[in-house]
């Protein structure tokens, strides 16, 4: 692909009246050069079992091709038709809350043979029909696939076989999972109880891992079918999504994104984020960094918001800011979900690029300017290669284990800790990748690895991290890291177990703080921010240097935050839940020591800097103003050309960014 | 009926010991001239299948007759006996939460043939037995009937046939309901999925309408049976109830009161309201206005509170104030639920007119004075005819649609908006009727029609409202009105669609406000009250005069509240959720323009004025003081007789009302 | 037993590696002389149906015996193995929420014949095997037994037979339970509906009583089996637990502790309480007083916390304070749950005496000093006989009835009222026993009986309390007492019914207060504390002296708190929910009048005094400092020996207690 893709999800099937020509006219006016179609409308394309009707696909393909708009075909398998459920009720996933019932999308047992049979048939019918159509540039398999909690009889049986394969003997399983506790031992395979009611976190987490594998397998299976038809210049992608806290937030608990992305040609993702006064760019950056890391390459934003919720309708300038922020993280596509606002069913509250009146509106008008700039600047901006020296290690296993063994109060979860750290790096303009337990071979690429709450991890991974430090790397751990093994068996050595060597610390007690501070405000965070909440480990340094002690009548002799030189590297350990301010200071210290503190670190949020090399090897630097006020900064790099205005910019020049404004510098 | 009815629900069956004579003695002492019996005690009257025992009915009838107390017989069908459920478990309603279980009342499938068979049998047995008894003045069919969420297999089948009748083809249904979305299309009638799990708001709302029809049909069926026995001087009524927010609040979502009231001779209702410092009369007035509007005639308050909850036990004077307030809205009956406080089961927290000790108490003693005044003033007060020039248009369809498509935050529902408007009119002493989508022919009777959040409405209705304005009427709409058609399909024209013509406005975007005010406080509401919350439409006037602009850095160019001259009339549009203060000012302006501002508008809440004509055509005026302090006002109308004190009152006379006090003027 | 027992629950089966010798070494070092084993590990001891493996029991018994550590054997029946549930799914309790599912402990139908058959078999196998082992000093039957909500078909049938036995005829049942209400009458035994859905509080409460009886029967049955094997010097106990509000709190709703304790040799209990800055000793004292009252003798603390939750990890000194507080209430054993911290399953957040590293830690180190002192002081401290002159009357029936008929707001339950009163006595160092409706014969032992919210009680009990007052006793009642009979039928006499005679009051109305105070702050509680909340009865004194009137514009003529001389005694009645401060003042007044005000009442919380006689008849006095600051007091009793320091102490000597410190005086 040699052009930036600016797209919309398009549902001809949902249109209240014949609109295709008018829609295309309006798309062209806005520079839309891509639509994604067909991923939600199985019941239209197969109105009855074995009766196919691809009229809407055909006509949209032809019309788009005529207009020079590319098309991504989605396999329509994430929402099943009524006839299938009536004929084969077993396609609905049985979950721990009971049997499924028809209505919503994403309610299937993705292991059901009936579902798989019909899915394969429609995929083959659809893809074989369209694959040679000149409008089709690629495919999206399914959509936001997850396991939907499926845990019925067949899934349980599959899981028992999986356990048998993995652990060999029940003796081994009983020991590793501690099933003797509360008389949960399984002494015969026939006795294996349904995992739906288990209270054993090891068993529960293993089932969650197994369920994630179901997703990986399902997507790989779809990709393999589509690949049979895929043409040389076409791609296969998938639309991953994140954990949700009113918006895209953190690591997806139900999918192993790294594993599931393996068979894809390009990683795709949807990113939905707060807007208006809450627009910070953090989700765009986090989602982008994670998705770019999946295949260490450019990615597609297959869905993001145009007008969206009533509370997100953007202020003037924000839609532009968002679009270019995606590019700055390495996206080659920005696609809105969706073109028009839907007139029925459940999501009528959600506004597309067009309102329900299907006419122009201020947001659509802003899109026109984006489309023009995308087209004009595509040669310089496409294919941005980003090289980071910092990484955050994220782990599905750690996430699941902290769901089973929640932090006191139940308000803080794994992703909160991930984002506590990520957001600080973002604010300091420290670019980072996301790595995962399977990335062990890649760690030495980084000067700094940040490890949030790695509650469950194998010995191998932790020893690898020790070696990484020994070899000169810098790791920043938070509390809870290293606590349990990969089966969530708590380590029976002094904590934090294996990483205690690199960190130069030990602890055997941990408590919840109440009005605890860090002694003497060691980071100058100020009274209000120098506090500790939710969790504190009573750390005794062995070889570590203590960066912060607790201020407490009984626990003042314990360390809160430590730093230890180990081999050629340094390991920092944050033994308590610190405020964003303190966390930022600890990370800043680590970044400085790791040699990550450069000119872009003179600039701070709300000014955000992103940079990389374009396909021609030129350096591209984006400067974004994530605020409602004007902000000035001194441009610190070499002379260049500001691409939006086509004006030269010189090193050291004071540059003012408008509210929600940005510049893009091509350095000469 | 030529006397005001002052009654109690009476349960001889619940009495802990033989009390009939003593109860009647105490009733007579309090002026009670009516009891309602039998509506809850099927298991007493039919202890076994086909074994009947009407002993308690017979003896109460005879004793009441002897004492000169009238009796209303309730059909006992809203609570089924144990034997029926054991023999025919299918009489319990299956709901979206699963199968029913025995215990409470109102748990039946009101379409179950077994339930209907037994219901008809006991109704015929009971009514045929009592219809000629001289004590019996009328009947209440069932009690607070609703559909109880019934949605089992048989109900689903009935619904599919209803849909087939209504829409003819699935093509039409799929299009109108947008079932293509998320692959919900139904392409064969056999595939029609259970609606229990649907996520399609059009389908869900249609099912709700169908369920309301079940209630209408059920009540009509009961009325038709009772009518076979009804004597010339007897009536049939039903006890409707309202949506509940800790007390009677707004439009009942599960019943179409207007349709269901059609076969009744007289409309009946229960009204339960806050008390003590929270007593405002608003629920008495709203409930009364709505019930009076059902048949545009006087009505019965079949249940209201005496002592009630511990938090409602009235202050001295309040029971009197409440009783006469019911009359002032057009009630011909005030009946307490219930005579005595019950000693067992679930509602022992609820106090009747007597406490559990079945002896006198301060509330009962206050009732004595009410009974005396009712008897004395009955000739002047009975049959009050009320003529209002304002109306509020309420709609079950709009209510349901705003349940499917909730306002942001989920805290404000349809009835909140209805009451936001109604309560302001009440405070300004603007009397009003309630009209509904079926009242289109009656609109021209009114000078002002207030239309809260009419989210879902047919083209016909909206065009009728436009014509109403064109012909000289005044309409006040709130936000969300006209947004979707009667199938909750969002209109694909510029909003607010059809009514945009009369309102002279358009909008294509709507957002949730955050710290938004009305520019320059156009209504002088004051800093604190000049705010906008939850919802704001970004309105551009076409021909309208803007009453208020938003104060906002980006959205200041949009109108918040507009007024438009259209033909001979005026249409006001409130495009955001305003405070009670601003809402009141907008309504005051509309009332003034509509010619509704008279002498009684000089008086404001907590002083409340109600007036009408008695059967002799004389004007009766009630002045109520809904406060704990004394209040004076200058009596603005013609000389008259104050009925409570039997003292003359002269025009312009300064009159003082005691705390929770009132006067009644018969104008000469 | 002639020594204080200092123990731990020990799970050899859960150990991550061979630890037995090392564990015993560490136990001995800490003075541990008791372990409880086997109560949770059925699946280890019977890995398959009928296949037994007591290896871990045998080896632990032998090793403990060798080390001189006593062993309590628990029957392993509160957690069932996987094979049993697979073979006989019916052993899972069906509850009102539906069928059970495997996973947790305590999920069985304790009436299931399959469960009982297997339980009996393993009990006989286990107990017959170990009963003559010299290490075994006693047995614990089951653990924290409750009925687990079992209400399936078989339980329902059993309940119907129980009802038939108890009430004889349905006529009687219908009348007493008021089943006519809402058509709930049962006119044929065949029609008896499942009680799972009942809305009749009398029926629901009777079922709850029946369920408690199931627990009593189940425990008696286990005891009878174990007794067949029990040796002369062995005991049988059970580990009761309390209602839970984040910690042990009040009367257990699901068990009649008094009845269930009857067949036991010694009562046992677990007590878990807040710690750190929230450590007050109240739960230790309440739990101890209740458990000591069960058999009016010394008791075992079979489980209490060592490190526990992260929010409970004790401050230095607190573990000691807690251990001796248990002794001071009459415990002869303090046993931690549990020895080590568990590495898997669900409770890994809970820390034992050892952390997960199975090594020493500060809490373990403090235990060493406790073990030493227990051993040294055992002769003086064991078998403390405590004689109290005050008692609190608690009632399962009252508790259940206040669950059915909750106080307004739903925030205050029966146990809150129990603790409101108990805690005030504790703070005043008034020792008390707990008595129950079955203790009627014992009442005259006490000078003061405090009766919290005795909502449901038989005529006999209330008349007994009247006689108690008449004979010279002092009773303090709170609101709601005497309101309903033992079937929760509200009394149809003027309230508070029977006790109104002794209290010299009457009321017929009750309300929820809003901003109500006691007139003129009669107890000098201060503005902030002189308030009334949640509930107020409008009391008219007949013969009573009014201690407090309500301050209210309408209800100021009613009494809030009264005191009445009746015969030779006095009855105090608190007609509203008072603050702790006012409640304390009322109780202080009652204590003074009842002659309970002595030298130890000069000392107040946080200084706590407990005293009794040791086996040699010597007076032992404990003085505890439940605060983080030092506190001095003047020792008011006779000269003695302070046992911890072995220093003499003289009467009147000013003594300083360290933070969380204590002394123990043996009076000479």
């Amino acid at each position: 692909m040699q052009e930036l893709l600016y797209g919309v999800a398009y549902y001809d099937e949902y249109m209240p009246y014949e609109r295709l020509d008018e829609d295309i006219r309006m798309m062209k006016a806005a520079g839309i050069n891509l639509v994604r179609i067909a991923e939600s409308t199985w019941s239209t394309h197969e109105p009855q079992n074995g009766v196919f009707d691809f009229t809407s696909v055909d006509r949209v393909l032809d019309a788009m091709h005529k207009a020079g708009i590319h098309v991504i075909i989605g396999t329509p398998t994430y929402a099943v038709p009524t006839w299938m459920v009536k004929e084969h009720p077993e396609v609905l996933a049985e979950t721990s809350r009971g049997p499924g019932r028809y209505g919503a999308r994403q309610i299937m047992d993705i292991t059901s043979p009936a579902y798989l049979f019909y899915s394969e048939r429609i995929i083959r019918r659809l893809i074989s029909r369209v694959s040679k159509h000149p409008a089709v540039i690629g495919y999206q398999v399914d959509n936001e696939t997850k396991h939907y909690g499926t845990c019925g009889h067949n899934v349980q049986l599959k899981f028992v076989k999986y356990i048998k394969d993995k652990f060999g003997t029940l003796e081994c399983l009983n020991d590793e999972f501690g099933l003797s506790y509360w008389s949960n031992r399984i002494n015969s395979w026939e006795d294996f109880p349904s995992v739906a009611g288990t209270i054993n976190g090891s068993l529960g987490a293993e089932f969650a891992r197994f369920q994630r594998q179901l997703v990986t397998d399902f997507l790989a299976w779809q990709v393999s079918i589509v690949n049979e038809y895929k043409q040389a210049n076409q791609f296969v992608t998938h639309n991953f999504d994140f954990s949700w806290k009113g918006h895209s937030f953190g690591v997806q608990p139900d999918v192993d994104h790294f594993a599931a992305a393996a068979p894809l040609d390009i990683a795709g993702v949807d990113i939905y984020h707060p807007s208006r006064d809450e627009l910070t760019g953090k989700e765009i950056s986090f989602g982008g960094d994670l998705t770019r890391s999946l295949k260490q390459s450019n990615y597609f934003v297959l869905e993001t918001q145009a007008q969206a919720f009533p509370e997100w309708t953007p202020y003037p300038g924000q839609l532009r800011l968002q679009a270019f922020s995606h590019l700055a993280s390495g996206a080659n596509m920005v696609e809105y979900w969706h073109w028009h606002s839907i007139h029925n069913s459940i999501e009528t509250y959600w506004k597309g690029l067009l309102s329900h009146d299907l006419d122009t509106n201020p947001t659509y008008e802003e899109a026109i300017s984006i489309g023009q700039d995308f087209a004009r600047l595509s040669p310089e901006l496409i294919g941005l290669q980003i090289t980071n020296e910092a990484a955050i290690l994220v782990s599905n296993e750690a996430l699941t284990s902290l769901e089973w063994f929640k932090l006191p109060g139940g308000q803080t979860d794994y992703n909160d800790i991930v984002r506590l750290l990520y957001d600080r790096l973002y604010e300091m303009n420290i670019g980072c990748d996301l790595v995962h337990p399977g990335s062990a071979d890649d760690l030495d690429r980084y000067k700094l690895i940040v490890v949030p709450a790695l509650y469950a991890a194998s010995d191998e991974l932790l020893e690898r991290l020790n070696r990484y430090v020994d070899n000169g790397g810098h790791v920043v751990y938070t509390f809870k890291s290293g606590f349990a093994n990969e089966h969530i068996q708590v380590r029976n050595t002094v904590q934090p177990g294996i990483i205690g060597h690199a960190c130069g610390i030990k602890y055997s007690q941990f408590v919840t703080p109440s009005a605890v501070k860090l002694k003497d405000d060691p980071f100058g965070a100020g009274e209000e921010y120098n506090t500790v909440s939710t969790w504190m480990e009573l750390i005794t340094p062995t070889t570590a240097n203590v960066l912060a002690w607790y201020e407490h009548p009984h626990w003042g002799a314990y360390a809160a935050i430590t730093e230890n030189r180990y081999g050629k590297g340094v390991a920092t350990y944050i033994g308590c839940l610190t405020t964003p301010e303190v966390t930022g200071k600890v990370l800043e210290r680590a970044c400085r020591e790791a040699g990550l503190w450069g000119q872009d670190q003179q600039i701070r949020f709300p000014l955000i800097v992103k940079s990389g090399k374009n396909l021609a090897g030129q350096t591209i630097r984006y400067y974004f103003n994530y605020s409602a006020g004007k902000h000035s900064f001194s441009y610190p790099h070499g002379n260049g050309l500001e691409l939006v205005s086509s004006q030269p910019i010189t090193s050291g020049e004071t540059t003012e960014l408008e509210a929600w404004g940005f510049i893009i510098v091509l350095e000469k």
Side-chain angles (χ1 to χ4, degrees), chain A:
Chain A
M1 227 143 329
Q2 293 303 319
E3 56 180 325
L4 287 175
L5 294 170
Y6 191 47
V8 293
Y10 184 64
Y11 304 104
D12 180 62
E13 299 84 353
Y14 297 172
M15 282 295 165
Y17 56 88
E18 175 55 46
R19 284 274 308 176
L20 186 53
D21 291 345
E22 173 64 7
D23 283 331
I24 288 176
R25 187 195 65 74
M26 292 184 76
M27 288 179 191
K28 294 296 289 181
I32 298 296
N33 59 9
L34 172 84
V35 295
R36 184 191 68 180
I37 68 169
E39 96 290 346
S40 295
T41 45
W42 192 341
S43 69
T44 302
H45 305 315
E46 189 175 0
Q48 284 294 290
N49 187 342
V51 178
F52 297 92
D53 177 354
F54 293 110
T55 310
S56 68
V57 173
D58 293 343
R59 73 190 218 102
V60 170
L61 276 179
D62 291 347
M64 294 294 167
H65 178 57
K66 190 168 155 204
I69 298 175
H70 305 302
V71 179
I72 294 177
I73 301 289
T75 67
T77 48
Y78 92 126
V80 293
T82 52
W83 60 258
M84 191 192 301
V85 178
K86 273 280 163 170
E87 291 187 24
H88 314 283
E90 76 273 16
V91 300
L92 297 182
E94 182 179 335
T95 72
S96 60
R97 290 181 307 282
R101 64 181 181 183
Y102 187 73
R105 60 186 177 179
Q106 297 173 307
I107 53 175
M108 306 81 63
D109 173 12
I110 59 171
T111 75
S112 155
Y115 169 68
L116 293 172
F117 171 80
Y118 291 123
S119 291
E120 178 163 352
R121 192 172 66 181
I122 186 111
I123 294 169
R124 289 189 184 279
R125 290 282 185 135
L126 172 62
I127 306 301
S128 65
R129 183 181 192 95
V130 303
S131 64
K132 295 187 178 159
H133 195 289
V136 176
I137 61 168
Y139 309 94
Q140 174 186 309
V141 288
D142 208 68
N143 189 52
E144 297 178 351
T145 309
K146 285 177 281 288
H147 53 69
Y148 319 130
T150 189
C151 69
H153 180 66
N154 54 322
V155 175
Q156 168 76 14
L157 267 182
K158 203 175 169 81
F159 176 62
V160 172
K161 292 171 186 170
Y162 160 95
I163 286 285
K164 202 180 270 190
D165 269 1
K166 181 158 183 177
F167 289 87
T169 68
L170 283 168
E171 201 57 36
C172 171
L173 180 76
N174 284 322
D175 285 357
E176 191 62 23
F177 284 12
L179 288 165
S180 297
Y181 172 88
W182 281 6
S183 193
N184 277 182
R185 282 183 78 85
I186 305 164
N187 295 304
S188 162
W189 290 104
E190 290 81 1
D191 297 338
F192 212 112
S194 165
V195 77
T198 192
I199 50 79
N200 184 292
S202 298
L203 188 57
E206 191 65 48
F207 189 68
R209 183 188 283 123
F210 165 78
Q211 287 177 311
R212 287 192 296 268
Q213 186 61 45
L214 297 180
V215 176
T216 301
D217 293 348
F218 176 79
L219 286 176
W221 171 81
Q222 281 221 7
V223 171
S224 74
I225 297 170
V226 174
N227 278 347
E228 293 183 34
Y229 306 94
K230 184 178 71 173
Q231 304 298 303
N233 57 345
Q234 295 174 336
F235 58 80
V236 179
T237 188
H238 173 70
N239 182 30
F240 290 112
D241 64 347
F242 296 106
S243 78
W244 187 261
K245 293 198 175 185
H247 52 81
S248 303
F249 186 76
V251 175
Q252 170 57 255
D254 293 348
V255 183
D256 180 343
H257 280 171
F258 290 90
L264 305 174
D265 298 309
I266 304 179
V269 71
D270 61 37
I271 298 176
Y272 294 110
H273 52 80
S275 181
R276 295 169 36 183
D277 297 322
E278 284 75 41
L279 178 66
T280 62
K282 285 171 183 168
E283 289 75 22
I284 292 172
S285 182
F286 176 82
D289 286 345
L290 197 150
T291 312
R292 190 189 63 245
S293 297
L294 294 184
K295 301 190 77 73
Q296 301 182 19
S297 184
N298 298 108
Y299 61 94
F300 291 157
V301 176
L302 285 162
E303 297 183 8
T304 190
Q305 65 216 56
Q307 297 187 74
F309 294 120
E311 62 268 30
W312 285 1
T313 311
Y315 290 155
Q318 292 191 328
L319 198 75
R320 280 182 63 80
L321 177 65
Q322 296 162 196
F324 285 89
S325 292
H326 288 298
L327 302 188
S329 284
N332 275 346
M333 175 200 296
V334 176
E335 179 179 323
Y336 299 116
W337 192 82
H338 38 88
W339 172 242
H340 80 297
S341 302
I342 294 175
H343 300 81
N344 282 101
S345 202
I346 190 172
E347 291 184 310
T348 62
Y349 52 77
W350 181 272
K351 301 281 290 296
L353 195 54
L354 301 193
S355 293
H356 293 103
D357 60 11
L358 306 173
D359 205 345
T360 186
N361 67 62
T363 304
Y364 169 77
E365 281 156 26
E366 190 165 316
I368 294 173
S369 82
I370 300 168
Q372 288 169 346
D373 282 346
F374 268 35
R376 179 169 60 91
L377 301 175
S378 189
E380 287 81 11
L381 302 184
I382 195 172
L384 192 72
Q385 298 304 306
I386 297 173
T387 307
N388 289 314
E389 296 180 310
I392 296 190
L393 176 66
V394 294
S395 157
N396 280 119
E397 287 72 23
L399 188 164
T400 302
S401 63
L402 276 173
E403 287 300 301
W404 272 93
F405 300 103
K406 288 182 192 297
L407 285 168
Q411 298 304 302
T412 309
D413 67 17
Y414 176 75
N415 276 319
D416 290 315
I417 307 169
V418 169
R419 288 291 304 272
L420 172 67
L421 296 161
Y422 180 86
D423 289 2
R424 301 298 83 68
L425 294 176
Y426 174 80
E427 289 165 350
M428 296 188 294
N429 286 309
I430 300 288
C432 70
D433 294 345
L434 279 292
V435 295
H436 67 111
S439 316
D441 294 344
D442 272 349
L443 301 185
D444 293 324
R445 297 201 286 147
Y446 301 103
K447 291 183 177 169
L448 171 68
I449 295 175
V450 174
V451 183
L454 190 67
Y455 187 91
S458 68
D459 292 5
E460 291 68 29
L461 175 61
L462 300 174
E463 284 159 1
R464 177 67 188 90
L465 286 163
N466 280 357
R467 282 201 307 280
Y468 168 78
V469 179
D470 198 16
N471 292 341
H474 198 139
V475 175
V476 177
Y477 289 104
T478 77
F479 56 94
K480 289 275 193 187
S481 294
F483 193 73
N485 74 8
E486 71 274 29
H487 300 129
I488 324 190
Q489 185 175 77
V490 177
R491 293 176 186 282
N492 56 48
T493 58
V494 68
Q495 292 290 358
I498 291 164
I499 64 169
H501 302 301
C503 294
I505 59 169
K506 65 176 183 181
Y507 70 89
S508 71
Q509 298 195 304
F510 37 76
V511 302
T512 51
S514 164
V516 174
K517 296 182 174 299
L518 299 178
K519 195 176 175 189
D520 300 334
D521 191 3
F523 301 102
E527 182 75 8
E528 186 183 351
Y529 302 114
N530 183 42
T531 57
V532 167
S533 65
T534 303
W535 191 257
M536 58 188 274
E537 294 160 357
L538 303 183
I539 295 172
T540 302
T542 53
T543 61
N545 172 31
V546 176
L547 301 185
W549 299 96
Y550 296 116
E551 182 178 312
H552 188 274
H554 300 302
W555 295 322
Y558 294 110
I561 306 172
T562 63
E563 184 182 86
N564 192 51
R565 187 151 293 281
Y566 179 75
K568 296 183 226 153
V570 175
T572 302
Y573 190 91
I574 306 173
C576 49
L577 183 55
T578 44
T579 60
E581 290 71 17
V582 166
T583 310
K585 295 288 189 177
V586 175
L587 286 173
E588 176 175 338
R589 180 184 169 99
C591 287
R592 286 179 185 275
E593 292 186 354
L596 295 177
W597 210 254
Q599 288 172 307
D600 287 339
Q601 282 63 54
Q602 308 311 312
I603 298 170
R604 288 243 171 175
F605 181 84
L607 296 189
I608 289 299
V609 191
K610 296 277 183 183
S611 58
K613 301 258 187 214
N614 68 13
L615 293 182
Q618 300 163 305
T619 296
I620 300 289
R621 299 186 190 276
Y622 289 82
Y623 291 84
F624 299 105
N625 177 10
Y626 269 97
S627 80
K630 294 183 180 180
H631 273 277
S632 293
F633 70 100
S634 172
Y635 169 67
H637 296 286
N639 294 345
L641 178 68
E642 199 287 304
L643 293 173
V644 182
S645 63
S646 300
Q647 296 295 316
I649 185 166
T650 56
S651 185
E653 179 177 334
T654 296
T655 304
E656 186 177 72
L657 295 179
E658 297 294 314
W660 316 111
F662 60 94
I663 60 169
I664 313 170
V665 178
L666 183 143
E667 203 171 335
K668 299 286 179 171

